[in-house]
Coordinates of all heavy atoms in Angstrom, one line a residue:
M268 N 34.7 -3.5 -15.1 CA 33.5 -4.0 -15.6 C 32.3 -3.2 -15.0 O 32.3 -3.0 -13.8 CB 33.3 -5.5 -15.2 CG 32.2 -6.1 -15.9 SD 32.4 -7.9 -15.6 CE 30.7 -8.4 -15.5
P269 N 31.4 -2.7 -15.8 CA 30.3 -1.8 -15.3 C 29.4 -2.6 -14.3 O 29.2 -3.8 -14.6 CB 29.6 -1.3 -16.5 CG 30.0 -2.3 -17.6 CD 31.3 -2.8 -17.3
V270 N 29.0 -2.0 -13.4 CA 28.0 -2.6 -12.4 C 26.6 -2.2 -12.8 O 26.3 -1.1 -13.0 CB 28.3 -2.1 -11.0 CG1 27.3 -2.7 -10.0 CG2 29.7 -2.5 -10.5
K271 N 25.8 -3.3 -13.0 CA 24.4 -3.0 -13.3 C 23.6 -2.9 -12.1 O 23.6 -3.9 -11.3 CB 23.9 -4.1 -14.3 CG 22.6 -3.8 -14.8 CD 22.2 -4.8 -15.9 CE 20.9 -4.5 -16.5 NZ 20.5 -5.5 -17.5
I272 N 22.9 -1.9 -11.9 CA 22.0 -1.7 -10.7 C 20.6 -1.9 -11.2 O 20.1 -1.3 -12.0 CB 22.2 -0.3 -10.1 CG1 23.6 -0.1 -9.6 CG2 21.2 -0.1 -8.9 CD1 23.9 1.3 -9.2
L273 N 20.0 -2.9 -10.5 CA 18.6 -3.2 -10.9 C 17.6 -2.5 -9.9 O 17.8 -2.6 -8.7 CB 18.3 -4.8 -10.8 CG 19.1 -5.6 -11.8 CD1 18.9 -7.1 -11.5 CD2 18.8 -5.3 -13.2
V274 N 16.7 -1.8 -10.5 CA 15.8 -1.1 -9.7 C 14.4 -1.5 -10.1 O 14.1 -1.7 -11.3 CB 15.9 0.5 -10.0 CG1 14.8 1.2 -9.2 CG2 17.3 1.0 -9.6
N275 N 13.6 -1.8 -9.1 CA 12.2 -2.2 -9.4 C 11.4 -1.1 -9.9 O 11.2 -0.1 -9.2 CB 11.6 -2.7 -8.1 CG 10.1 -3.2 -8.3 OD1 9.6 -3.1 -9.4 ND2 9.5 -3.8 -7.3
P276 N 11.0 -1.1 -11.2 CA 10.4 0.0 -11.8 C 8.9 0.2 -11.4 O 8.3 1.1 -11.8 CB 10.5 -0.3 -13.3 CG 10.5 -1.8 -13.4 CD 11.2 -2.3 -12.1
R277 N 8.4 -0.8 -10.7 CA 7.0 -0.8 -10.5 C 6.6 0.3 -9.5 O 7.3 0.6 -8.5 CB 6.5 -2.2 -9.9 CG 5.0 -2.2 -9.7 CD 4.4 -3.5 -9.5 NE 3.0 -3.3 -9.9 CZ 2.1 -2.7 -9.2 NH1 2.4 -2.2 -8.0 NH2 0.9 -2.5 -9.6
M278 N 5.4 0.9 -9.7 CA 4.8 1.8 -8.7 C 3.3 1.3 -8.7 O 2.8 0.8 -9.6 CB 4.8 3.2 -9.2 CG 6.2 3.8 -9.1 SD 6.2 5.5 -9.9 CE 5.0 6.3 -8.9
A279 N 2.7 1.6 -7.5 CA 1.3 1.3 -7.4 C 0.5 2.1 -8.5 O 0.9 3.2 -8.9 CB 0.8 1.6 -6.1
E280 N -0.5 1.5 -9.0 CA -1.3 2.1 -10.1 C -2.7 2.5 -9.7 O -3.5 1.6 -9.3 CB -1.4 1.1 -11.3 CG -2.1 1.5 -12.5 CD -1.7 2.9 -13.0 OE1 -0.5 3.0 -13.4 OE2 -2.5 3.8 -12.9
R281 N -2.9 3.8 -9.6 CA -4.2 4.2 -9.1 C -5.4 3.8 -9.9 O -6.5 3.8 -9.4 CB -4.2 5.7 -8.7 CG -4.2 6.6 -9.9 CD -4.1 8.0 -9.4 NE -4.1 9.0 -10.5 CZ -3.6 10.2 -10.5 NH1 -3.0 10.6 -9.4 NH2 -3.6 10.9 -11.5
T282 N -5.2 3.5 -11.2 CA -6.3 3.0 -12.0 C -6.7 1.6 -11.6 O -7.7 1.1 -12.1 CB -6.0 3.1 -13.5 OG1 -4.9 2.3 -13.8 CG2 -5.7 4.5 -13.9
Q283 N -5.8 1.0 -10.8 CA -6.1 -0.4 -10.4 C -6.4 -0.5 -8.9 O -6.2 -1.5 -8.3 CB -4.9 -1.3 -10.7 CG -4.7 -1.5 -12.2 CD -3.4 -2.3 -12.5 OE1 -3.1 -3.2 -11.8 NE2 -2.8 -2.0 -13.6
K284 N -6.9 0.6 -8.3 CA -7.2 0.6 -6.9 C -8.2 -0.5 -6.6 O -9.2 -0.7 -7.4 CB -7.9 1.9 -6.5 CG -7.0 3.1 -6.3 CD -7.9 4.3 -5.9 CE -7.3 5.6 -6.1 NZ -8.2 6.7 -5.8
L285 N -8.1 -1.1 -5.5 CA -9.1 -2.0 -5.0 C -10.4 -1.2 -4.6 O -10.2 -0.1 -4.0 CB -8.6 -2.8 -3.8 CG -7.5 -3.8 -4.1 CD1 -6.8 -4.3 -2.9 CD2 -8.0 -4.9 -5.0
S286 N -11.5 -1.7 -4.8 CA -12.8 -1.0 -4.6 C -13.0 -0.7 -3.1 O -13.7 0.3 -2.7 CB -14.0 -1.7 -5.1 OG -14.1 -3.0 -4.5
E287 N -12.4 -1.5 -2.2 CA -12.6 -1.3 -0.8 C -11.9 -0.1 -0.2 O -12.1 0.3 1.0 CB -12.2 -2.5 0.0 CG -13.1 -3.8 -0.2 CD -12.4 -4.7 -1.3 OE1 -11.8 -4.2 -2.2 OE2 -12.6 -5.9 -1.2
N288 N -10.9 0.4 -0.9 CA -10.1 1.5 -0.3 C -10.9 2.6 0.1 O -11.8 3.1 -0.6 CB -9.0 2.0 -1.3 CG -7.9 1.0 -1.6 OD1 -7.2 0.7 -0.7 ND2 -7.8 0.5 -2.8
A289 N -10.6 3.2 1.3 CA -11.2 4.4 1.7 C -10.7 5.5 0.8 O -9.5 5.5 0.4 CB -10.8 4.8 3.1
S290 N -11.6 6.4 0.3 CA -11.3 7.4 -0.6 C -10.2 8.3 -0.1 O -10.3 8.8 1.1 CB -12.5 8.2 -1.0 OG -12.2 9.2 -1.9
G291 N -9.2 8.6 -0.9 CA -8.2 9.6 -0.4 C -6.8 9.2 -0.9 O -6.6 8.5 -1.9
K292 N -5.8 9.8 -0.2 CA -4.4 9.7 -0.7 C -3.8 8.3 -0.8 O -3.3 7.9 -1.9 CB -3.5 10.5 0.3 CG -2.1 10.5 0.0 CD -1.3 11.4 1.0 CE 0.2 11.3 0.7 NZ 1.0 12.2 1.6
F293 N -4.0 7.5 0.2 CA -3.4 6.2 0.2 C -4.4 5.1 -0.4 O -5.6 5.2 -0.2 CB -2.9 5.7 1.6 CG -1.7 6.5 2.1 CD1 -1.9 7.6 2.9 CD2 -0.4 6.1 1.7 CE1 -0.7 8.3 3.3 CE2 0.7 6.7 2.2 CZ 0.5 7.9 3.0
Y294 N -3.8 4.1 -1.0 CA -4.6 3.0 -1.6 C -3.8 1.8 -1.8 O -2.5 1.9 -1.8 CB -5.3 3.4 -2.9 CG -4.3 3.8 -4.0 CD1 -3.9 2.8 -4.9 CD2 -3.8 5.0 -4.2 CE1 -3.0 3.1 -5.9 CE2 -2.9 5.3 -5.2 CZ -2.5 4.3 -6.0 OH -1.6 4.6 -7.0
V295 N -4.4 0.7 -2.0 CA -3.8 -0.6 -2.4 C -4.3 -0.9 -3.7 O -5.5 -0.8 -4.0 CB -4.1 -1.7 -1.4 CG1 -3.4 -3.0 -1.8 CG2 -3.5 -1.3 0.0
D296 N -3.4 -1.4 -4.6 CA -3.9 -1.8 -5.9 C -4.1 -3.3 -6.0 O -3.8 -4.0 -5.0 CB -3.0 -1.2 -7.1 CG -1.7 -1.9 -7.3 OD1 -1.5 -3.0 -6.7 OD2 -0.9 -1.3 -8.0
T297 N -4.4 -3.8 -7.2 CA -4.8 -5.2 -7.3 C -3.6 -6.2 -7.3 O -3.8 -7.4 -7.4 CB -5.5 -5.4 -8.7 OG1 -4.7 -4.9 -9.7 CG2 -6.8 -4.6 -8.7
T298 N -2.4 -5.7 -7.1 CA -1.2 -6.6 -7.1 C -0.9 -7.1 -5.7 O 0.1 -7.8 -5.6 CB 0.0 -5.9 -7.8 OG1 0.3 -4.7 -7.0 CG2 -0.3 -5.5 -9.2
C299 N -1.6 -6.7 -4.7 CA -1.3 -7.1 -3.3 C -1.2 -8.6 -3.2 O -2.1 -9.3 -3.7 CB -2.4 -6.5 -2.4 SG -2.3 -7.2 -0.7
I300 N -0.2 -9.1 -2.5 CA 0.0 -10.5 -2.3 C -0.4 -10.9 -0.9 O -0.1 -12.1 -0.5 CB 1.4 -10.9 -2.6 CG1 2.4 -10.2 -1.7 CG2 1.8 -10.7 -4.1 CD1 3.9 -10.7 -1.8
D301 N -1.0 -10.1 -0.1 CA -1.6 -10.4 1.2 C -0.5 -10.9 2.1 O -0.7 -11.9 2.8 CB -2.6 -11.5 1.0 CG -3.5 -11.7 2.2 OD1 -3.7 -10.7 3.0 OD2 -4.1 -12.8 2.4
C302 N 0.6 -10.2 2.2 CA 1.7 -10.6 3.0 C 1.6 -10.1 4.5 O 2.3 -10.6 5.3 CB 3.1 -10.0 2.5 SG 3.3 -8.3 2.8
D303 N 0.7 -9.2 4.7 CA 0.3 -8.8 6.1 C 1.2 -7.6 6.6 O 0.9 -7.1 7.7 CB 0.4 -10.0 7.1 CG -0.3 -9.7 8.4 OD1 -1.3 -9.0 8.4 OD2 0.2 -10.1 9.4
L304 N 2.2 -7.2 5.9 CA 3.2 -6.3 6.5 C 2.5 -4.9 6.7 O 2.7 -4.3 7.8 CB 4.4 -6.1 5.5 CG 5.6 -5.4 6.0 CD1 6.1 -6.0 7.4 CD2 6.7 -5.4 5.0
C305 N 1.7 -4.4 5.8 CA 1.1 -3.1 6.0 C 0.1 -3.1 7.2 O 0.0 -2.1 7.9 CB 0.4 -2.6 4.7 SG -0.9 -3.7 4.2
R306 N -0.5 -4.2 7.4 CA -1.5 -4.3 8.5 C -0.7 -4.3 9.8 O -1.3 -3.9 10.8 CB -2.3 -5.6 8.3 CG -3.2 -5.6 7.1 CD -4.2 -6.7 7.0 NE -3.7 -8.0 7.1 CZ -3.3 -8.8 6.1 NH1 -3.4 -8.3 4.8 NH2 -2.8 -10.0 6.2
Q307 N 0.5 -4.8 9.8 CA 1.3 -4.8 11.1 C 1.8 -3.4 11.3 O 1.9 -2.9 12.4 CB 2.4 -5.8 11.0 CG 2.0 -7.2 10.9 CD 3.1 -8.2 10.8 OE1 4.2 -7.9 11.3 NE2 2.9 -9.3 10.2
T308 N 2.3 -2.8 10.2 CA 2.9 -1.4 10.3 C 1.9 -0.4 10.6 O 2.2 0.5 11.5 CB 3.6 -1.1 9.0 OG1 4.6 -2.1 8.8 CG2 4.3 0.3 9.1
A309 N 0.7 -0.4 10.0 CA -0.3 0.6 10.2 C -1.6 0.0 10.4 O -2.5 0.1 9.6 CB -0.3 1.5 8.9
P310 N -1.8 -0.7 11.5 CA -3.0 -1.4 11.8 C -4.3 -0.5 11.8 O -5.4 -1.0 11.6 CB -2.8 -2.1 13.1 CG -1.7 -1.3 13.8 CD -0.9 -0.8 12.7
A311 N -4.1 0.7 12.1 CA -5.3 1.6 12.2 C -5.8 2.0 10.8 O -6.9 2.5 10.7 CB -5.0 2.9 13.0
N312 N -5.0 1.7 9.8 CA -5.4 2.2 8.4 C -5.5 1.1 7.4 O -6.0 1.4 6.3 CB -4.3 3.2 8.0 CG -4.2 4.4 9.0 OD1 -3.3 4.4 9.9 ND2 -5.1 5.3 8.9
F313 N -5.0 -0.1 7.7 CA -5.0 -1.1 6.7 C -5.8 -2.3 7.3 O -5.7 -2.6 8.5 CB -3.7 -1.6 6.3 CG -2.9 -0.7 5.4 CD1 -2.2 0.4 6.0 CD2 -2.9 -0.8 4.0 CE1 -1.5 1.3 5.2 CE2 -2.2 0.1 3.2 CZ -1.5 1.1 3.8
A314 N -6.6 -2.9 6.4 CA -7.4 -4.1 6.9 C -7.3 -5.1 5.8 O -6.8 -4.9 4.7 CB -8.9 -3.7 7.1
R315 N -7.8 -6.3 6.1 CA -7.7 -7.5 5.2 C -9.1 -7.9 4.7 O -10.0 -8.0 5.5 CB -7.1 -8.6 5.9 CG -6.9 -9.8 5.0 CD -6.1 -10.9 5.8 NE -5.8 -12.0 4.8 CZ -6.0 -13.3 5.0 NH1 -6.5 -13.7 6.1 NH2 -5.6 -14.1 4.1
N316 N -9.2 -8.2 3.4 CA -10.3 -8.9 2.9 C -9.9 -10.3 2.9 O -9.2 -10.8 2.1 CB -10.6 -8.4 1.5 CG -11.9 -9.1 0.9 OD1 -12.1 -10.3 1.2 ND2 -12.6 -8.4 0.1
A317 N -10.4 -11.0 4.0 CA -9.9 -12.4 4.2 C -10.5 -13.4 3.1 O -9.8 -14.3 2.7 CB -10.4 -12.9 5.5
E318 N -11.6 -13.1 2.6 CA -12.2 -13.9 1.6 C -11.5 -13.9 0.3 O -11.2 -14.9 -0.4 CB -13.7 -13.5 1.4 CG -14.5 -14.4 0.4 CD -15.9 -13.9 0.2 OE1 -16.4 -13.2 1.1 OE2 -16.4 -14.1 -0.9
K319 N -11.0 -12.7 -0.1 CA -10.4 -12.5 -1.4 C -8.8 -12.5 -1.2 O -8.1 -12.6 -2.2 CB -10.8 -11.2 -2.0 CG -12.3 -11.3 -2.4 CD -12.8 -10.0 -3.1 CE -14.3 -10.2 -3.5 NZ -14.8 -8.9 -4.0
G320 N -8.3 -12.3 0.0 CA -6.9 -12.5 0.2 C -6.1 -11.3 -0.2 O -5.1 -11.4 -1.0
Y321 N -6.5 -10.1 0.3 CA -5.6 -8.9 0.0 C -5.9 -7.9 1.1 O -6.9 -8.0 1.9 CB -5.8 -8.3 -1.4 CG -7.2 -8.0 -1.8 CD1 -8.0 -7.0 -1.1 CD2 -7.8 -8.7 -2.8 CE1 -9.3 -6.8 -1.5 CE2 -9.1 -8.5 -3.2 CZ -9.9 -7.5 -2.6 OH -11.1 -7.2 -3.0
S322 N -5.1 -6.9 1.1 CA -5.3 -5.7 2.1 C -5.8 -4.5 1.3 O -5.6 -4.4 0.1 CB -4.0 -5.4 2.8 OG -3.5 -6.4 3.6
Y323 N -6.4 -3.6 2.1 CA -6.8 -2.4 1.5 C -6.8 -1.3 2.6 O -6.6 -1.6 3.8 CB -8.3 -2.5 1.0 CG -9.3 -2.9 2.0 CD1 -10.0 -2.0 2.7 CD2 -9.4 -4.3 2.3 CE1 -10.9 -2.3 3.7 CE2 -10.4 -4.6 3.3 CZ -11.1 -3.7 4.0 OH -12.0 -4.1 5.0
V324 N -6.9 -0.1 2.1 CA -6.8 1.1 3.1 C -8.2 1.2 3.7 O -9.2 1.6 3.0 CB -6.4 2.4 2.4 CG1 -6.5 3.6 3.4 CG2 -4.9 2.2 1.9
S325 N -8.4 0.9 4.9 CA -9.7 0.9 5.6 C -10.0 2.3 6.1 O -11.2 2.7 6.3 CB -9.7 0.0 6.8 OG -8.6 0.2 7.6
K326 N -9.0 3.1 6.3 CA -9.2 4.5 6.8 C -8.0 5.3 6.4 O -6.8 4.9 6.6 CB -9.3 4.5 8.4 CG -9.7 5.8 9.0 CD -9.7 5.8 10.5 CE -8.3 5.8 11.0 NZ -8.1 6.7 12.1
Q327 N -8.2 6.5 5.9 CA -7.1 7.4 5.6 C -6.5 7.9 6.9 O -7.2 8.1 7.9 CB -7.6 8.6 4.7 CG -8.0 8.1 3.3 CD -6.9 7.6 2.4 OE1 -5.7 8.0 2.6 NE2 -7.2 6.7 1.6
P328 N -5.2 8.2 6.9 CA -4.6 8.7 8.1 C -5.1 10.1 8.5 O -5.3 10.9 7.6 CB -3.1 8.8 7.8 CG -3.0 8.8 6.3 CD -4.2 8.0 5.8
V329 N -5.3 10.3 9.8 CA -5.9 11.6 10.2 C -4.9 12.3 11.2 O -5.1 13.4 11.5 CB -7.3 11.5 10.8 CG1 -8.3 11.1 9.8 CG2 -7.3 10.5 12.0
T330 N -3.9 11.5 11.7 CA -2.9 12.1 12.6 C -1.6 12.0 12.0 O -1.3 11.2 11.1 CB -2.9 11.4 13.9 OG1 -2.4 10.0 13.7 CG2 -4.3 11.3 14.6
P331 N -0.6 12.8 12.4 CA 0.7 12.7 11.9 C 1.3 11.3 12.1 O 2.1 10.8 11.2 CB 1.5 13.8 12.7 CG 0.5 14.8 13.1 CD -0.8 14.0 13.3
E332 N 1.0 10.7 13.2 CA 1.6 9.4 13.4 C 1.0 8.4 12.4 O 1.7 7.5 11.9 CB 1.2 8.9 14.9 CG 1.9 7.6 15.2 CD 1.7 7.2 16.7 OE1 0.5 7.2 17.1 OE2 2.7 6.9 17.3
E333 N -0.3 8.4 12.2 CA -0.9 7.5 11.2 C -0.3 7.8 9.8 O -0.1 6.8 9.1 CB -2.4 7.7 11.2 CG -3.1 7.1 12.4 CD -4.6 7.2 12.3 OE1 -5.2 7.8 11.4 OE2 -5.3 6.7 13.2
A334 N -0.1 9.0 9.5 CA 0.5 9.4 8.2 C 1.9 8.8 8.1 O 2.2 8.3 7.0 CB 0.5 10.9 8.0
K335 N 2.6 8.9 9.1 CA 4.0 8.3 9.1 C 3.9 6.8 8.9 O 4.7 6.3 8.1 CB 4.7 8.7 10.5 CG 6.1 8.2 10.5 CD 6.7 8.5 11.9 CE 6.3 7.5 12.9 NZ 6.9 7.6 14.2
F336 N 3.0 6.1 9.6 CA 3.0 4.7 9.5 C 2.4 4.3 8.1 O 2.9 3.3 7.5 CB 2.1 4.1 10.6 CG 2.7 4.1 11.9 CD1 2.0 4.4 13.1 CD2 4.1 3.8 12.1 CE1 2.6 4.4 14.3 CE2 4.7 3.8 13.3 CZ 4.0 4.1 14.5
C337 N 1.5 5.0 7.5 CA 1.1 4.7 6.2 C 2.2 4.9 5.2 O 2.4 4.1 4.2 CB -0.1 5.6 5.8 SG -1.7 5.1 6.6
Q338 N 3.0 5.9 5.3 CA 4.1 6.2 4.4 C 5.1 5.0 4.6 O 5.7 4.5 3.6 CB 4.8 7.5 4.7 CG 5.8 8.0 3.7 CD 5.2 8.1 2.3 OE1 4.1 8.6 2.2 NE2 5.9 7.7 1.3
Q339 N 5.3 4.6 5.8 CA 6.3 3.5 6.1 C 5.8 2.2 5.4 O 6.5 1.5 4.8 CB 6.4 3.3 7.6 CG 7.4 2.2 8.0 CD 7.6 2.1 9.5 OE1 7.3 3.0 10.2 NE2 8.0 0.9 9.9
A340 N 4.4 2.0 5.6 CA 3.9 0.8 4.9 C 4.1 0.8 3.4 O 4.4 -0.2 2.8 CB 2.4 0.7 5.3
K341 N 3.9 2.0 2.8 CA 4.1 2.1 1.4 C 5.5 1.8 1.0 O 5.8 1.0 0.1 CB 3.8 3.6 1.0 CG 4.1 3.8 -0.5 CD 3.9 5.3 -0.9 CE 4.2 5.6 -2.3 NZ 5.5 5.3 -2.7
E342 N 6.5 2.2 1.8 CA 7.9 2.0 1.5 C 8.2 0.5 1.7 O 9.1 0.0 1.0 CB 8.8 2.9 2.3 CG 8.6 4.4 1.8 CD 9.2 5.4 2.8 OE1 9.9 5.0 3.8 OE2 8.9 6.6 2.6
E343 N 7.6 -0.1 2.7 CA 7.9 -1.5 3.0 C 7.3 -2.5 2.1 O 7.7 -3.7 2.0 CB 7.5 -1.8 4.4 CG 8.4 -1.1 5.5 CD 7.9 -1.3 6.9 OE1 6.7 -1.8 7.1 OE2 8.6 -1.0 7.8
C344 N 6.2 -2.2 1.5 CA 5.4 -3.2 0.7 C 6.3 -3.9 -0.3 O 6.9 -3.2 -1.2 CB 4.2 -2.5 -0.1 SG 3.3 -3.7 -1.1
P345 N 6.5 -5.2 -0.2 CA 7.4 -5.9 -1.1 C 7.1 -5.9 -2.6 O 8.0 -6.2 -3.4 CB 7.4 -7.3 -0.5 CG 6.1 -7.5 0.1 CD 5.7 -6.1 0.7
V346 N 5.9 -5.6 -2.9 CA 5.5 -5.6 -4.3 C 5.0 -4.3 -4.8 O 4.4 -4.2 -5.9 CB 4.5 -6.8 -4.6 CG1 5.2 -8.1 -4.6 CG2 3.3 -6.7 -3.7
D347 N 5.2 -3.2 -4.0 CA 4.9 -1.9 -4.3 C 3.4 -1.7 -4.7 O 3.1 -1.2 -5.8 CB 5.8 -1.3 -5.5 CG 7.2 -1.2 -5.0 OD1 7.4 -0.7 -3.9 OD2 8.1 -1.5 -5.8
S348 N 2.6 -2.3 -3.9 CA 1.1 -2.3 -4.2 C 0.4 -1.1 -3.6 O -0.8 -0.9 -3.8 CB 0.4 -3.5 -3.7 OG 1.0 -4.7 -4.3
I349 N 1.2 -0.3 -2.7 CA 0.5 0.8 -2.0 C 0.9 2.1 -2.7 O 2.1 2.4 -2.9 CB 1.0 0.8 -0.5 CG1 0.6 -0.5 0.2 CG2 0.4 2.0 0.2 CD1 1.2 -0.7 1.6
G350 N -0.1 2.9 -3.0 CA 0.2 4.2 -3.6 C -0.2 5.3 -2.7 O -1.0 5.2 -1.7
D351 N 0.4 6.5 -2.9 CA 0.0 7.7 -2.1 C -0.4 8.8 -3.0 O -0.4 10.0 -2.7 CB 1.1 8.1 -1.2 CG 2.4 8.6 -2.0 OD1 2.4 8.5 -3.2 OD2 3.4 8.9 -1.3
D352 N -0.8 8.5 -4.3 CA -1.2 9.5 -5.2 C -2.7 9.4 -5.6 O -3.1 9.7 -6.7 CB -0.4 9.5 -6.5 CG -0.5 8.1 -7.2 OD1 -0.9 7.1 -6.6 OD2 -0.1 8.0 -8.4
G353 N -3.4 8.9 -4.6 CA -4.9 8.6 -4.8 C -5.8 9.8 -4.9 O -6.9 9.6 -5.2
E354 N -5.2 10.9 -4.7 CA -6.1 12.1 -4.7 C -6.1 12.8 -6.0 O -6.8 13.8 -6.2 CB -5.7 13.1 -3.6 CG -6.1 12.5 -2.2 CD -5.6 13.4 -1.1 OE1 -4.6 14.1 -1.2 OE2 -6.4 13.5 -0.1
G355 N -5.2 12.4 -6.9 CA -5.0 13.1 -8.2 C -6.1 12.8 -9.2 O -7.0 12.1 -8.9
Ligands
LIG211 S1 2.4 -4.9 2.4 FE1 1.8 -4.8 0.2 S2 1.6 -6.9 -0.5 FE2 1.7 -6.9 1.8 S3 -0.5 -7.0 2.4 FE3 0.2 -4.8 2.4 S4 -0.4 -4.0 0.3 FE4 -0.4 -6.3 0.3

């Protein structure tokens, strides 16, 4: 019997970037569920809009370490709300 592999087809959508994102490569789109994971993984680069209940990129990474944590945050986001194609 064939095995069906389900893959989440979603990717962050740069046309739906939140307005608070710092301009540049990384961004959060409007599908963020405010789970806090990116803020824990990359606290120097992600912040929370507490009033509206979502995260956004407060600062683009400037060091290799920050870039690594931002990439990790992108990969960990449970709803794929973080994109890294914001410069296109
Ligand atoms: S990890 Fe994803 S869903 Fe969770 S707060 Fe960050 S952008 Fe939002």
